[in-house]
């Protein structure tokens, strides 16, 4: 019995040690990440290493607000152009997807589409200052529902307490106020009356059960309990801020005028310190902790992948060229792979270092079908999506474009045709006007000649 007890106690100790070790490893692998927008771009910065990146995302016209889903590790942002939309992508700019579009009527610009992710119920909430309402939708884009719409002035900022199941928002209309309700829209009530203030942002700190907001008139930062009680001035002399978040004992904000991200202790009177800057047109910002695997990004895929085939001394040669994508400020190299048509497996045939030219020449056989791709790689892996590929047969001797290039050729030709058509139309219009002017001038000369000859005859 004693031996059994000793074995049990030793096994318990080993389990505890393994759990503690795994927790320590998890904490050691966590990175503090800050994400913010500046209209046409979304930025993220590793607060531990100060590594700053602009996410290589296209098609962003005016991004305003951002949030983070800790379950799927996705960044969400709202864009107020073209009817308004909410999109998402990973920190490595992969798996981009638009989950909500047509938030308001097109050609009607809503300056405030604040968003808040409910990671527990897998939903996202947003404000619509064009229609003065608050909506929600599941993170898969289904079940779009209006949560609050009556007696709304101008809802501009929304926050969610997922665990408690409550929604908080800032109404900056004629009667500014902070309101709350359940996540289904029930139990709506006014928490703080801000009639004598000009607020523009709201922040919720669930850990300390506190609300934070600003007053642009007095340049002050206020705080209160989440039930609206114990309202007080927290900081004075705060500039025009467009985003705010609380982390530990510090409060961070984006300074619109100085174009910086700054911070100051919540409880102590210390000077503001600059974290990052200058960055023009900064808007909302957030901060969170994430496993380091999600910020160690492989390079973005190469683009403009082309193959040129030609014959040299009765030998078919193919020259491959491409353009490198974003490298996340890390050394990268490229792998040229060939597909085996029998096994449908990609086989590496050439590796190109970062310092080398973006081109490779290979000898191929006559009358054979080939398929190649190029992958960008670094120490964290290779590009995982949108890898460019080319297919060709060595019977033909001509440049071969990847599918991406083939798709991009048509808009280029269309633009070229439109430009040439416009030039020809302009030239034709000028010639027509000139011809009309010349004909009028000839008629005028003839008329004057006839009048002169008639008057001379009469005389």
């Amino acid at each position: 019995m004693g031996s059994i007890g000793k074995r049990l106690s030793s096994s318990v100790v080993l389990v505890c040690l393994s759990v503690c070790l795994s927790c320590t490893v998890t904490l050691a692998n966590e990175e503090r990440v800050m994400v913010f927008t500046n209209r046409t771009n979304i930025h993220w910065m590793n607060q531990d290493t100060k590594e700053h990146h602009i996410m290589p995302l296209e098609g962003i016209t005016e991004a305003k607000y951002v949030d983070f889903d800790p379950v799927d590790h996705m960044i969400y942002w709202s864009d107020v152009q073209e009817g308004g939309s909410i999109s998402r992508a990973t920190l490595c700019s992969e798996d981009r997807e638009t989950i909500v579009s047509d938030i308001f009527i097109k050609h009607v610009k809503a300056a405030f589409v604040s968003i808040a992710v409910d990671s527990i119920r897998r939903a996202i909430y947003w404000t619509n200052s064009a229609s003065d309402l608050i909506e929600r939708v599941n993170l898969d884009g289904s079940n779009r529902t209006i949560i609050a719409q009556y007696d709304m002035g101008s809802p501009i900022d929304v926050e969610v307490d997922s665990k408690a199941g409550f929604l908080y928002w800032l109404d900056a209309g004629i009667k500014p106020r902070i309101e709350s309700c359940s996540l289904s829209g029930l139990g709506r009530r006014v928490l703080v009356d801000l009639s004598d203030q000009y607020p523009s942002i709201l922040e919720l700190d669930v850990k300390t059960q506190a609300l934070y907001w600003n007053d642009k008139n007095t340049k002050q930062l206020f705080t209160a309990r989440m039930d609206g009680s114990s309202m007080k001035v927290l900081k004075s002399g705060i500039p025009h801020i467009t985003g705010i978040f609380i982390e530990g004992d510090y409060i961070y904000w984006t300074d619109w005028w100085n174009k910086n991200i700054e911070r100051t202790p919540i409880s102590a009177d210390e000077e503001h310190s600059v974290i990052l800057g200058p960055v023009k047109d900064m808007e909302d910002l957030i901060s969170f902790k994430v496993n380091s695997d999600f910020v160690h990004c492989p390079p973005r895929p190469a683009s403009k992948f082309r193959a040129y085939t030609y014959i040299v001394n009765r030998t078919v040669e193919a020259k491959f060229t491409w353009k490198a994508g974003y490298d996340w400020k890390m050394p990268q190299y490229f792998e040229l792979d060939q597909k085996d048509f029998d096994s449908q497996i990609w086989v590496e045939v050439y590796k190109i270092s970062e310092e080398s030219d973006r081109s490779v020449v290979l000898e191929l056989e006559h009358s054979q079908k080939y398929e190649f791709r190029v992958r960008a790689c670094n120490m964290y892996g290779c590009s995982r999506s949108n890898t460019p590929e080319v297919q060709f047969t060595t019977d033909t001797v001509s440049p071969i474009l990847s599918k991406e290039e083939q798709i991009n050729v048509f808009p280029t030709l269309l633009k070229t045709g439109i430009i040439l058509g416009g030039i020809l139309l302009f030239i034709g219009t000028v010639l027509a006007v000139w011809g009309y002017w010349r004909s009028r001038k000839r008629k005028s000369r003839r008329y004057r000649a006839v009048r002169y000859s008639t008057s001379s005859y009469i005389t």
Side-chain angles (χ1 to χ4, degrees), residues 257-275:
W257 298 120
N258 296 329
K259 303 177 178 61
N260 296 327
I261 295 178
E262 303 179 4
R263 79 170 189 177
T264 186
I266 295 177
S267 56
D269 293 330
E270 295 183 10
E271 290 293 329
H272 311 156
S273 58
V274 177
I275 303 300

Side-chain angles (χ1 to χ4, degrees), residues 338-341 344 364-372 390-395:
Q338 179 182 350
K339 179 181 280 189
D340 185 352
F341 286 99
Q344 296 296 307
L364 305 177
E365 297 181 5
H366 285 276
S367 303
Q368 294 293 325
K369 184 178 179 181
Y370 289 94
E371 184 171 359
F372 290 89
V390 291
Q391 293 183 0
F392 60 91
T393 304
T394 50
D395 288 336

Side-chain angles (χ1 to χ4, degrees), residues 220-292:
Q220 291 178 319
L221 192 66
F222 289 81
T223 183
R225 302 293 297 171
M226 288 175 61
D227 60 1
S229 63
S230 304
M231 173 180 164
K232 65 178 181 179
V233 176
L234 183 66
K235 299 287 181 180
S236 298
I238 301 296
H240 179 61
I241 55 181
T242 55
I244 186 175
F245 74 88
I246 310 297
E247 186 177 65
D249 298 329
Y250 287 88
I251 183 168
Y252 296 74
W253 66 78
T254 51
D255 187 334
W256 176 268
W257 298 120
N258 296 329
K259 303 177 178 61
N260 296 327
I261 295 178
E262 303 179 4
R263 79 170 189 177
T264 186
I266 295 177
S267 56
D269 293 330
E270 295 183 10
E271 290 293 329
H272 311 156
S273 58
V274 177
I275 303 300
L276 178 68
V279 179
K280 187 179 179 182
D281 297 333
M282 285 190 294
E283 298 282 352
D284 191 24
L285 81 163
I286 57 173
S287 178
F288 50 86
K289 291 182 179 180
V290 67
N291 190 281
S292 58

Side-chain angles (χ1 to χ4, degrees), residues 92-103:
C92 294
S93 304
E94 296 177 329
D95 303 324
R96 177 177 174 176
E97 179 186 9
T98 298
I99 62 169
V100 180
S101 59
D102 298 329
I103 292 178

Side-chain angles (χ1 to χ4, degrees), residues 76-78 84-88 97-100 103 115 124 126:
Y76 288 76
W77 70 90
S78 62
S85 62
I86 298 175
S87 304
R88 64 184 178 188
E97 179 186 9
T98 298
I99 62 169
V100 180
I103 292 178
I115 59 176
I124 187 168
W126 71 90

Side-chain angles (χ1 to χ4, degrees), residues 97-336:
E97 179 186 9
T98 298
I99 62 169
V100 180
S101 59
D102 298 329
I103 292 178
F104 43 86
I105 301 174
K106 289 187 177 181
H107 310 300
V108 175
K109 181 178 177 180
F112 301 98
V113 183
S114 172
I115 59 176
V117 173
D118 182 0
S119 59
I120 295 177
R121 295 162 187 83
R122 315 305 298 148
I124 187 168
Y125 297 80
W126 71 90
T127 60
N128 183 345
S129 62
S131 302
D132 295 333
L133 51 84
I134 296 176
E135 296 182 79
R136 74 171 292 281
V137 73
N138 294 335
L139 293 183
D140 61 3
S142 63
N143 194 23
R144 182 171 174 176
T145 309
I146 295 176
I147 300 300
Q149 61 179 328
Y150 301 110
D151 192 23
M152 302 279 277
S154 179
I156 62 172
D157 205 346
V158 64
E159 302 288 336
V160 62
D161 183 358
S162 297
K163 292 183 178 180
F166 282 96
L167 201 66
Y168 299 80
W169 69 89
L170 172 63
D171 191 326
I174 299 176
K175 299 179 180 179
R177 57 194 183 271
I178 298 174
E179 294 189 62
S180 73
C181 69
S182 68
L183 296 181
S184 61
L186 301 176
R188 179 177 167 183
R189 65 193 183 103
V190 177
L191 299 177
V192 185
D193 184 1
L194 306 176
S195 298
D196 57 344
Q197 297 185 17
Y198 183 18
S200 63
I201 56 173
L202 175 67
E203 175 65 10
L204 174 66
D205 187 8
V206 177
K207 292 182 179 179
T208 60
Q209 294 289 294
L211 297 168
Y212 298 86
W213 70 93
N214 71 321
D215 182 3
K216 294 171 69 174
N217 287 332
T218 61
K219 296 183 179 180
Q220 291 178 319
L221 192 66
F222 289 81
T223 183
R225 302 293 297 171
M226 288 175 61
D227 60 1
S229 63
S230 304
M231 173 180 164
K232 65 178 181 179
V233 176
L234 183 66
K235 299 287 181 180
S236 298
I238 301 296
H240 179 61
I241 55 181
T242 55
I244 186 175
F245 74 88
I246 310 297
E247 186 177 65
D249 298 329
Y250 287 88
I251 183 168
Y252 296 74
W253 66 78
T254 51
D255 187 334
W256 176 268
W257 298 120
N258 296 329
K259 303 177 178 61
N260 296 327
I261 295 178
E262 303 179 4
R263 79 170 189 177
T264 186
I266 295 177
S267 56
D269 293 330
E270 295 183 10
E271 290 293 329
H272 311 156
S273 58
V274 177
I275 303 300
L276 178 68
V279 179
K280 187 179 179 182
D281 297 333
M282 285 190 294
E283 298 282 352
D284 191 24
L285 81 163
I286 57 173
S287 178
F288 50 86
K289 291 182 179 180
V290 67
N291 190 281
S292 58
D293 293 339
F294 295 100
V295 296
H296 292 164
C297 301
R300 297 298 297 155
S303 60
K304 297 184 178 180
F305 184 42
R306 299 182 179 183
Y308 302 87
T309 58
Y310 48 90
I311 298 177
V312 178
N313 297 328
R314 298 182 180 181
T315 302
V316 179
E317 293 186 355
K319 181 179 180 180
F320 301 90
T321 62
W322 62 90
K323 184 178 179 181
Y326 186 60
D327 59 2
W328 298 102
K329 301 179 181 179
M330 293 185 61
Q332 66 174 337
Y333 61 92
F334 300 90
E335 292 181 356
L336 184 65

